[in-house]
Amino acid sequence: LLAPAPEQAAIVLPAPKPGRTRPLVAVVADEAGAETTDFLVPYGVLNESGVADVVALSTAPGPLQLMATVKIRPDQSLAQFDAANPAGADIVIVPAQHRPKSKALTAWIRRQADKGAVMVSICEGARVLAAVGLLDGKRATTHFGSLVELERTYPGTTWVRDRRWVQDGRVISTTGVAASIPASLALVEAIAGREAAGRTAARLDVRDWSPRHRTAEFAILKSDYAQSAANLAQPWKRYLVEARLTEGVDEF
């Protein structure tokens, strides 16, 4: 799989592995937790498109606590997935993780990469791929607030600004969570074509899933930190709400 040119506006994917008519996509989280929107948005968009088989995975069986309040029940643990799919996934989506250097998670991602899976990091999921070494010598992007730090920590990677998503060979990375819907639609287009992506985008009321982006337009201000601290200090009431998903009701 050749690395796309910097100006390329479409994701390029290899064909599904032998024996599959469409790709198997795994959205994965460490049992310690992953960012809620990073996890649920790609899972939801790709499921909504109907162009891939999508599974939600965790390093351990049982419920998964997403950051900060949502708890879900993944489809499988990594061990269960491996037993059912010895050839591995075609695409692995890696959200931002509470423990980006989790040994169970990074070891599994390394094995999936060795089996030829395309890796897609969402937001600071790039930290996981970088920890595994999958970004060495590659172009990548991540959340605007982490670019400078990751440039220092992983100087072997060329950290790209002004792109919603960046593909370098079998590795795709995105900027912050706002890029997760466009990047997911770009994956739908790569799998099934522009028309399929357009139909999915129309149902989600999205008009643009290009890689166009201006990093300088995003910033965290001092007032944002002050508001966050004030929110945390509030004596909010907490409610436990369970929503069972059934046919006709999706994860959005």
Side-chain angles (χ1 to χ4, degrees), residues 11 16 19 54 100 210 229 246:
I11 287 174
V54 189
S210 74
T246 58

Side-chain angles (χ1 to χ4, degrees), residues 56-93:
L57 305 181
S58 175
T59 53
L64 171 66
Q65 180 70 59
L66 297 177
M67 298 185 284
T69 59
V70 177
K71 184 178 289 187
I72 65 170
R73 187 175 296 278
D75 297 310
Q76 294 176 313
S77 67
L78 299 188
Q80 290 169 330
F81 177 85
D82 289 343
N85 303 280
D90 294 289
I91 300 169
V92 174
I93 296 179

Side-chain angles (χ1 to χ4, degrees), residues 76-164:
Q76 294 176 313
S77 67
L78 299 188
Q80 290 169 330
F81 177 85
D82 289 343
N85 303 280
D90 294 289
I91 300 169
V92 174
I93 296 179
V94 185
Q97 307 285 330
H98 188 68
R99 294 190 308 199
K101 294 184 179 181
S102 159
K103 290 184 178 179
L105 179 64
T106 53
W108 185 83
I109 286 174
R110 177 77 265 176
R111 292 195 299 272
Q112 291 295 311
D114 290 344
K115 292 177 181 180
V118 172
M119 294 291 164
V120 183
S121 66
I122 304 294
C123 190
E124 290 195 38
R127 290 182 182 274
V128 181
L129 300 191
V132 177
L134 295 178
L135 299 185
D136 293 348
K138 292 188 177 293
R139 300 168 64 252
T141 191
T142 189
H143 188 277
F144 68 90
S146 301
L147 280 166
V148 173
E149 176 201 344
L150 290 179
E151 282 175 331
R152 291 195 301 263
T153 306
Y154 299 101
T157 301
T158 300
W159 295 97
V160 177
R161 290 162 172 77
D162 298 330
R163 297 277 291 186
R164 273 177 172 164

